[in-house]
mmCIF file of all heavy atoms in Angstrom:
data_model
loop_
_atom_site.group_PDB
_atom_site.id
_atom_site.type_symbol
_atom_site.label_atom_id
_atom_site.label_comp_id
_atom_site.label_asym_id
_atom_site.label_seq_id
_atom_site.Cartn_x
_atom_site.Cartn_y
_atom_site.Cartn_z
ATOM 1 N N TRP A 500 99.636 -29.807 -122.867
ATOM 2 C CA TRP A 500 98.610 -29.002 -122.182
ATOM 3 C C TRP A 500 99.140 -27.582 -121.981
ATOM 4 O O TRP A 500 100.346 -27.386 -121.669
ATOM 5 C CB TRP A 500 98.268 -29.565 -120.804
ATOM 6 C CG TRP A 500 97.409 -30.770 -120.802
ATOM 7 C CD1 TRP A 500 97.761 -32.073 -120.627
ATOM 8 C CD2 TRP A 500 95.976 -30.801 -121.009
ATOM 9 N NE1 TRP A 500 96.668 -32.896 -120.668
ATOM 10 C CE2 TRP A 500 95.570 -32.137 -120.924
ATOM 11 C CE3 TRP A 500 94.990 -29.802 -121.279
ATOM 12 C CZ2 TRP A 500 94.210 -32.523 -121.056
ATOM 13 C CZ3 TRP A 500 93.685 -30.185 -121.388
ATOM 14 C CH2 TRP A 500 93.303 -31.517 -121.295
ATOM 15 N N ILE A 501 98.236 -26.600 -122.070
ATOM 16 C CA ILE A 501 98.538 -25.235 -121.662
ATOM 17 C C ILE A 501 97.411 -24.849 -120.637
ATOM 18 O O ILE A 501 96.248 -24.955 -120.939
ATOM 19 C CB ILE A 501 98.568 -24.250 -122.808
ATOM 20 C CG1 ILE A 501 99.757 -24.556 -123.719
ATOM 21 C CG2 ILE A 501 98.625 -22.825 -122.292
ATOM 22 C CD1 ILE A 501 99.879 -23.584 -124.882
ATOM 23 N N VAL A 502 97.859 -24.381 -119.456
ATOM 24 C CA VAL A 502 96.924 -23.934 -118.431
ATOM 25 C C VAL A 502 97.198 -22.460 -118.183
ATOM 26 O O VAL A 502 98.299 -22.033 -117.882
ATOM 27 C CB VAL A 502 97.120 -24.739 -117.111
ATOM 28 C CG1 VAL A 502 96.153 -24.205 -116.032
ATOM 29 C CG2 VAL A 502 96.885 -26.208 -117.326
ATOM 30 N N VAL A 503 96.163 -21.665 -118.404
ATOM 31 C CA VAL A 503 96.253 -20.187 -118.207
ATOM 32 C C VAL A 503 95.553 -19.767 -116.949
ATOM 33 O O VAL A 503 94.333 -20.039 -116.782
ATOM 34 C CB VAL A 503 95.639 -19.437 -119.428
ATOM 35 C CG1 VAL A 503 95.754 -17.945 -119.200
ATOM 36 C CG2 VAL A 503 96.301 -19.869 -120.703
ATOM 37 N N ASP A 504 96.297 -19.168 -116.030
ATOM 38 C CA ASP A 504 95.690 -18.552 -114.842
ATOM 39 C C ASP A 504 95.228 -17.161 -115.247
ATOM 40 O O ASP A 504 96.012 -16.227 -115.279
ATOM 41 C CB ASP A 504 96.670 -18.526 -113.663
ATOM 42 C CG ASP A 504 96.097 -17.802 -112.474
ATOM 43 O OD1 ASP A 504 94.859 -17.914 -112.247
ATOM 44 O OD2 ASP A 504 96.840 -17.125 -111.766
ATOM 45 N N SER A 505 93.940 -17.025 -115.572
ATOM 46 C CA SER A 505 93.396 -15.790 -116.028
ATOM 47 C C SER A 505 92.966 -14.884 -114.897
ATOM 48 O O SER A 505 93.151 -15.223 -113.714
ATOM 49 C CB SER A 505 92.209 -16.072 -116.972
ATOM 50 O OG SER A 505 91.705 -14.888 -117.538
ATOM 51 N N THR A 506 92.443 -13.761 -115.218
ATOM 52 C CA THR A 506 91.806 -12.845 -114.244
ATOM 53 C C THR A 506 90.416 -13.359 -113.895
ATOM 54 O O THR A 506 89.858 -14.166 -114.623
ATOM 55 C CB THR A 506 91.694 -11.430 -114.773
ATOM 56 O OG1 THR A 506 90.851 -11.440 -115.923
ATOM 57 C CG2 THR A 506 93.063 -10.841 -115.141
ATOM 58 N N PRO A 507 89.824 -12.854 -112.823
ATOM 59 C CA PRO A 507 88.375 -13.109 -112.666
ATOM 60 C C PRO A 507 87.581 -12.491 -113.824
ATOM 61 O O PRO A 507 88.075 -11.569 -114.475
ATOM 62 C CB PRO A 507 88.067 -12.390 -111.335
ATOM 63 C CG PRO A 507 89.375 -12.318 -110.600
ATOM 64 C CD PRO A 507 90.394 -12.134 -111.697
ATOM 65 N N MET A 508 86.432 -12.970 -114.095
ATOM 66 C CA MET A 508 85.620 -12.459 -115.194
ATOM 67 C C MET A 508 85.179 -11.021 -114.934
ATOM 68 O O MET A 508 84.914 -10.279 -115.830
ATOM 69 C CB MET A 508 84.412 -13.339 -115.421
ATOM 70 C CG MET A 508 84.717 -14.760 -115.873
ATOM 71 S SD MET A 508 83.250 -15.773 -116.184
ATOM 72 C CE MET A 508 82.657 -16.011 -114.528
ATOM 73 N N LEU A 509 85.046 -10.643 -113.664
ATOM 74 C CA LEU A 509 84.726 -9.289 -113.278
ATOM 75 C C LEU A 509 85.789 -8.746 -112.373
ATOM 76 O O LEU A 509 86.361 -9.453 -111.558
ATOM 77 C CB LEU A 509 83.371 -9.298 -112.541
ATOM 78 C CG LEU A 509 82.138 -9.787 -113.296
ATOM 79 C CD1 LEU A 509 80.943 -9.868 -112.394
ATOM 80 C CD2 LEU A 509 81.844 -8.945 -114.533
ATOM 81 N N PRO A 510 86.114 -7.424 -112.476
ATOM 82 C CA PRO A 510 85.481 -6.409 -113.312
ATOM 83 C C PRO A 510 86.231 -6.175 -114.643
ATOM 84 O O PRO A 510 85.791 -5.390 -115.440
ATOM 85 C CB PRO A 510 85.590 -5.148 -112.451
ATOM 86 C CG PRO A 510 86.849 -5.351 -111.722
ATOM 87 C CD PRO A 510 87.020 -6.817 -111.463
ATOM 88 N N VAL A 511 87.355 -6.828 -114.901
ATOM 89 C CA VAL A 511 88.147 -6.601 -116.091
ATOM 90 C C VAL A 511 87.772 -7.528 -117.228
ATOM 91 O O VAL A 511 87.078 -8.544 -117.026
ATOM 92 C CB VAL A 511 89.669 -6.688 -115.806
ATOM 93 C CG1 VAL A 511 90.086 -5.576 -114.847
ATOM 94 C CG2 VAL A 511 89.999 -8.046 -115.234
ATOM 95 N N ILE A 512 88.230 -7.234 -118.466
ATOM 96 C CA ILE A 512 87.841 -8.014 -119.641
ATOM 97 C C ILE A 512 88.833 -9.083 -120.057
ATOM 98 O O ILE A 512 88.612 -9.759 -121.038
ATOM 99 C CB ILE A 512 87.596 -7.064 -120.843
ATOM 100 C CG1 ILE A 512 88.930 -6.438 -121.284
ATOM 101 C CG2 ILE A 512 86.560 -6.027 -120.532
ATOM 102 C CD1 ILE A 512 88.834 -5.698 -122.597
ATOM 103 N N ASP A 513 89.892 -9.281 -119.279
ATOM 104 C CA ASP A 513 90.965 -10.157 -119.700
ATOM 105 C C ASP A 513 90.498 -11.607 -119.899
ATOM 106 O O ASP A 513 90.962 -12.286 -120.801
ATOM 107 C CB ASP A 513 92.110 -10.099 -118.685
ATOM 108 C CG ASP A 513 92.724 -8.714 -118.576
ATOM 109 O OD1 ASP A 513 91.974 -7.730 -118.638
ATOM 110 O OD2 ASP A 513 93.956 -8.626 -118.381
ATOM 111 N N ALA A 514 89.631 -12.080 -119.028
ATOM 112 C CA ALA A 514 89.170 -13.465 -119.197
ATOM 113 C C ALA A 514 88.457 -13.671 -120.494
ATOM 114 O O ALA A 514 88.528 -14.700 -121.142
ATOM 115 C CB ALA A 514 88.242 -13.855 -117.989
ATOM 116 N N ASN A 515 87.729 -12.645 -120.918
ATOM 117 C CA ASN A 515 87.045 -12.726 -122.207
ATOM 118 C C ASN A 515 88.064 -12.796 -123.357
ATOM 119 O O ASN A 515 87.882 -13.549 -124.334
ATOM 120 C CB ASN A 515 86.133 -11.477 -122.386
ATOM 121 C CG ASN A 515 85.327 -11.564 -123.662
ATOM 122 O OD1 ASN A 515 84.911 -12.624 -124.084
ATOM 123 N ND2 ASN A 515 85.078 -10.406 -124.302
ATOM 124 N N LEU A 516 89.132 -12.025 -123.242
ATOM 125 C CA LEU A 516 90.163 -12.023 -124.296
ATOM 126 C C LEU A 516 90.902 -13.385 -124.298
ATOM 127 O O LEU A 516 91.201 -13.908 -125.382
ATOM 128 C CB LEU A 516 91.124 -10.895 -124.077
ATOM 129 C CG LEU A 516 90.497 -9.482 -124.178
ATOM 130 C CD1 LEU A 516 91.547 -8.420 -123.860
ATOM 131 C CD2 LEU A 516 89.917 -9.272 -125.544
ATOM 132 N N TRP A 517 91.215 -13.925 -123.148
ATOM 133 C CA TRP A 517 91.831 -15.239 -123.115
ATOM 134 C C TRP A 517 90.919 -16.328 -123.677
ATOM 135 O O TRP A 517 91.371 -17.297 -124.282
ATOM 136 C CB TRP A 517 92.223 -15.614 -121.666
ATOM 137 C CG TRP A 517 93.543 -15.055 -121.220
ATOM 138 C CD1 TRP A 517 93.757 -14.153 -120.217
ATOM 139 C CD2 TRP A 517 94.846 -15.380 -121.746
ATOM 140 N NE1 TRP A 517 95.128 -13.869 -120.092
ATOM 141 C CE2 TRP A 517 95.786 -14.640 -121.010
ATOM 142 C CE3 TRP A 517 95.291 -16.247 -122.756
ATOM 143 C CZ2 TRP A 517 97.161 -14.695 -121.249
ATOM 144 C CZ3 TRP A 517 96.669 -16.316 -122.996
ATOM 145 C CH2 TRP A 517 97.561 -15.565 -122.261
ATOM 146 N N SER A 518 89.584 -16.177 -123.459
ATOM 147 C CA SER A 518 88.666 -17.194 -123.944
ATOM 148 C C SER A 518 88.695 -17.300 -125.475
ATOM 149 O O SER A 518 88.308 -18.331 -126.012
ATOM 150 C CB SER A 518 87.247 -16.866 -123.467
ATOM 151 O OG SER A 518 86.709 -15.744 -124.163
ATOM 152 N N ARG A 519 89.150 -16.282 -126.154
ATOM 153 C CA ARG A 519 89.251 -16.304 -127.611
ATOM 154 C C ARG A 519 90.460 -17.127 -128.036
ATOM 155 O O ARG A 519 90.498 -17.574 -129.203
ATOM 156 C CB ARG A 519 89.354 -14.895 -128.161
ATOM 157 C CG ARG A 519 88.176 -14.002 -127.775
ATOM 158 C CD ARG A 519 88.365 -12.587 -128.292
ATOM 159 N NE ARG A 519 87.262 -11.699 -127.846
ATOM 160 C CZ ARG A 519 87.166 -10.404 -128.159
ATOM 161 N NH1 ARG A 519 88.139 -9.861 -128.908
ATOM 162 N NH2 ARG A 519 86.147 -9.701 -127.736
ATOM 163 N N LEU A 520 91.408 -17.325 -127.180
ATOM 164 C CA LEU A 520 92.644 -18.057 -127.512
ATOM 165 C C LEU A 520 92.612 -19.531 -127.084
ATOM 166 O O LEU A 520 93.185 -20.360 -127.800
ATOM 167 C CB LEU A 520 93.844 -17.354 -126.866
ATOM 168 C CG LEU A 520 94.124 -15.897 -127.262
ATOM 169 C CD1 LEU A 520 95.286 -15.361 -126.433
ATOM 170 C CD2 LEU A 520 94.409 -15.759 -128.746
ATOM 171 N N VAL A 521 91.990 -19.824 -125.978
ATOM 172 C CA VAL A 521 92.039 -21.180 -125.434
ATOM 173 C C VAL A 521 90.933 -22.059 -125.986
ATOM 174 O O VAL A 521 89.980 -21.558 -126.600
ATOM 175 C CB VAL A 521 91.967 -21.137 -123.887
ATOM 176 C CG1 VAL A 521 93.140 -20.343 -123.312
ATOM 177 C CG2 VAL A 521 90.633 -20.540 -123.436
ATOM 178 N N ASP A 522 91.069 -23.351 -125.730
ATOM 179 C CA ASP A 522 90.033 -24.295 -126.196
ATOM 180 C C ASP A 522 88.902 -24.467 -125.185
ATOM 181 O O ASP A 522 87.826 -24.927 -125.550
ATOM 182 C CB ASP A 522 90.685 -25.687 -126.407
ATOM 183 C CG ASP A 522 91.719 -25.673 -127.524
ATOM 184 O OD1 ASP A 522 91.492 -24.952 -128.513
ATOM 185 O OD2 ASP A 522 92.752 -26.371 -127.378
ATOM 186 N N GLY A 523 89.123 -24.180 -123.922
ATOM 187 C CA GLY A 523 88.075 -24.347 -122.902
ATOM 188 C C GLY A 523 88.319 -23.490 -121.689
ATOM 189 O O GLY A 523 89.433 -23.030 -121.410
ATOM 190 N N THR A 524 87.247 -23.253 -120.949
ATOM 191 C CA THR A 524 87.281 -22.464 -119.704
ATOM 192 C C THR A 524 86.826 -23.312 -118.532
ATOM 193 O O THR A 524 85.757 -23.971 -118.554
ATOM 194 C CB THR A 524 86.362 -21.240 -119.831
ATOM 195 O OG1 THR A 524 86.831 -20.364 -120.859
ATOM 196 C CG2 THR A 524 86.296 -20.456 -118.538
ATOM 197 N N LEU A 525 87.672 -23.322 -117.494
ATOM 198 C CA LEU A 525 87.325 -24.006 -116.241
ATOM 199 C C LEU A 525 87.004 -22.928 -115.211
ATOM 200 O O LEU A 525 87.829 -22.082 -114.928
ATOM 201 C CB LEU A 525 88.515 -24.859 -115.796
ATOM 202 C CG LEU A 525 88.281 -25.823 -114.616
ATOM 203 C CD1 LEU A 525 87.223 -26.844 -114.936
ATOM 204 C CD2 LEU A 525 89.599 -26.485 -114.216
ATOM 205 N N LEU A 526 85.815 -22.980 -114.676
ATOM 206 C CA LEU A 526 85.316 -21.934 -113.751
ATOM 207 C C LEU A 526 85.450 -22.410 -112.316
ATOM 208 O O LEU A 526 85.004 -23.465 -111.943
ATOM 209 C CB LEU A 526 83.872 -21.602 -114.058
ATOM 210 C CG LEU A 526 83.170 -20.563 -113.211
ATOM 211 C CD1 LEU A 526 83.837 -19.211 -113.340
ATOM 212 C CD2 LEU A 526 81.702 -20.491 -113.583
ATOM 213 N N VAL A 527 86.132 -21.588 -111.491
ATOM 214 C CA VAL A 527 86.271 -21.872 -110.078
ATOM 215 C C VAL A 527 85.293 -21.006 -109.313
ATOM 216 O O VAL A 527 85.202 -19.790 -109.470
ATOM 217 C CB VAL A 527 87.729 -21.543 -109.624
ATOM 218 C CG1 VAL A 527 87.840 -21.768 -108.091
ATOM 219 C CG2 VAL A 527 88.723 -22.395 -110.379
ATOM 220 N N VAL A 528 84.544 -21.653 -108.432
ATOM 221 C CA VAL A 528 83.531 -20.980 -107.589
ATOM 222 C C VAL A 528 83.797 -21.307 -106.154
ATOM 223 O O VAL A 528 83.884 -22.488 -105.795
ATOM 224 C CB VAL A 528 82.106 -21.384 -107.991
ATOM 225 C CG1 VAL A 528 81.076 -20.718 -107.089
ATOM 226 C CG2 VAL A 528 81.825 -21.005 -109.447
ATOM 227 N N ARG A 529 83.926 -20.328 -105.306
ATOM 228 C CA ARG A 529 84.069 -20.592 -103.885
ATOM 229 C C ARG A 529 82.716 -20.361 -103.224
ATOM 230 O O ARG A 529 82.107 -19.312 -103.284
ATOM 231 C CB ARG A 529 85.118 -19.703 -103.229
ATOM 232 C CG ARG A 529 85.261 -19.946 -101.715
ATOM 233 C CD ARG A 529 86.252 -19.054 -101.074
ATOM 234 N NE ARG A 529 87.625 -19.476 -101.421
ATOM 235 C CZ ARG A 529 88.703 -18.881 -100.921
ATOM 236 N NH1 ARG A 529 88.575 -17.847 -100.086
ATOM 237 N NH2 ARG A 529 89.906 -19.297 -101.261
ATOM 238 N N GLU A 530 82.264 -21.418 -102.543
ATOM 239 C CA GLU A 530 80.945 -21.363 -101.921
ATOM 240 C C GLU A 530 80.912 -20.251 -100.887
ATOM 241 O O GLU A 530 81.783 -20.106 -100.059
ATOM 242 C CB GLU A 530 80.655 -22.700 -101.240
ATOM 243 C CG GLU A 530 79.281 -22.798 -100.640
ATOM 244 C CD GLU A 530 79.040 -24.150 -100.009
ATOM 245 O OE1 GLU A 530 79.947 -24.992 -99.993
ATOM 246 O OE2 GLU A 530 77.902 -24.375 -99.565
ATOM 247 N N GLY A 531 79.859 -19.440 -100.966
ATOM 248 C CA GLY A 531 79.669 -18.339 -100.007
ATOM 249 C C GLY A 531 80.383 -17.071 -100.366
ATOM 250 O O GLY A 531 80.324 -16.095 -99.626
ATOM 251 N N VAL A 532 81.127 -17.030 -101.504
ATOM 252 C CA VAL A 532 81.877 -15.844 -101.889
ATOM 253 C C VAL A 532 81.255 -15.202 -103.117
ATOM 254 O O VAL A 532 80.993 -13.973 -103.138
ATOM 255 C CB VAL A 532 83.344 -16.185 -102.154
ATOM 256 C CG1 VAL A 532 84.077 -14.967 -102.715
ATOM 257 C CG2 VAL A 532 84.026 -16.608 -100.841
ATOM 258 N N ALA A 533 81.052 -15.962 -104.169
ATOM 259 C CA ALA A 533 80.562 -15.395 -105.433
ATOM 260 C C ALA A 533 79.040 -15.271 -105.418
ATOM 261 O O ALA A 533 78.354 -16.307 -105.384
ATOM 262 C CB ALA A 533 80.996 -16.244 -106.595
ATOM 263 N N PRO A 534 78.490 -14.077 -105.470
ATOM 264 C CA PRO A 534 77.024 -13.940 -105.602
ATOM 265 C C PRO A 534 76.588 -14.513 -106.931
ATOM 266 O O PRO A 534 77.280 -14.436 -107.960
ATOM 267 C CB PRO A 534 76.808 -12.438 -105.555
ATOM 268 C CG PRO A 534 78.078 -11.856 -104.992
ATOM 269 C CD PRO A 534 79.133 -12.792 -105.409
ATOM 270 N N LEU A 535 75.413 -15.149 -106.959
ATOM 271 C CA LEU A 535 74.932 -15.748 -108.205
ATOM 272 C C LEU A 535 74.797 -14.682 -109.291
ATOM 273 O O LEU A 535 75.044 -14.934 -110.471
ATOM 274 C CB LEU A 535 73.571 -16.397 -107.941
ATOM 275 C CG LEU A 535 72.949 -17.152 -109.120
ATOM 276 C CD1 LEU A 535 73.895 -18.235 -109.639
ATOM 277 C CD2 LEU A 535 71.615 -17.769 -108.709
ATOM 278 N N LYS A 536 74.383 -13.462 -108.913
ATOM 279 C CA LYS A 536 74.256 -12.383 -109.875
ATOM 280 C C LYS A 536 75.583 -12.081 -110.549
ATOM 281 O O LYS A 536 75.659 -11.887 -111.800
ATOM 282 C CB LYS A 536 73.683 -11.131 -109.199
ATOM 283 C CG LYS A 536 73.465 -9.973 -110.145
ATOM 284 C CD LYS A 536 72.893 -8.774 -109.363
ATOM 285 C CE LYS A 536 72.686 -7.594 -110.320
ATOM 286 N NZ LYS A 536 72.149 -6.393 -109.567
ATOM 287 N N ALA A 537 76.643 -12.047 -109.776
ATOM 288 C CA ALA A 537 77.982 -11.775 -110.348
ATOM 289 C C ALA A 537 78.403 -12.928 -111.211
ATOM 290 O O ALA A 537 79.063 -12.721 -112.259
ATOM 291 C CB ALA A 537 78.991 -11.549 -109.209
ATOM 292 N N LEU A 538 78.072 -14.154 -110.838
ATOM 293 C CA LEU A 538 78.437 -15.293 -111.643
ATOM 294 C C LEU A 538 77.770 -15.274 -113.006
ATOM 295 O O LEU A 538 78.391 -15.472 -114.075
ATOM 296 C CB LEU A 538 78.041 -16.565 -110.918
ATOM 297 C CG LEU A 538 78.331 -17.884 -111.633
ATOM 298 C CD1 LEU A 538 79.828 -18.025 -111.916
ATOM 299 C CD2 LEU A 538 77.864 -19.066 -110.769
ATOM 300 N N LYS A 539 76.484 -14.941 -113.047
ATOM 301 C CA LYS A 539 75.760 -14.809 -114.283
ATOM 302 C C LYS A 539 76.337 -13.688 -115.147
ATOM 303 O O LYS A 539 76.537 -13.874 -116.360
ATOM 304 C CB LYS A 539 74.278 -14.537 -114.019
ATOM 305 C CG LYS A 539 73.524 -15.703 -113.403
ATOM 306 C CD LYS A 539 72.084 -15.280 -113.169
ATOM 307 C CE LYS A 539 71.261 -16.397 -112.554
ATOM 308 N NZ LYS A 539 69.847 -15.990 -112.310
ATOM 309 N N LYS A 540 76.578 -12.560 -114.541
ATOM 310 C CA LYS A 540 77.081 -11.427 -115.273
ATOM 311 C C LYS A 540 78.457 -11.728 -115.863
ATOM 312 O O LYS A 540 78.772 -11.349 -116.978
ATOM 313 C CB LYS A 540 77.152 -10.170 -114.349
ATOM 314 C CG LYS A 540 77.580 -8.903 -115.088
ATOM 315 C CD LYS A 540 77.553 -7.694 -114.151
ATOM 316 C CE LYS A 540 77.951 -6.428 -114.880
ATOM 317 N NZ LYS A 540 77.924 -5.245 -113.956
#
Side-chain angles (χ1 to χ4, degrees):
W500 283 103
I501 293 182
V502 178
V503 179
D504 176 33
S505 183
T506 61
M508 295 182 291
L509 299 174
V511 294
I512 66 170
D513 298 38
N515 185 34
L516 297 176
W517 276 115
S518 72
R519 302 176 184 181
L520 299 176
V521 299
D522 296 323
T524 296
L525 189 62
L526 178 63
V527 177
V528 177
R529 179 181 285 182
E530 185 179 3
V532 173
L535 184 57
K536 182 178 180 181
L538 180 59
K539 291 180 179 179
K540 186 176 180 180

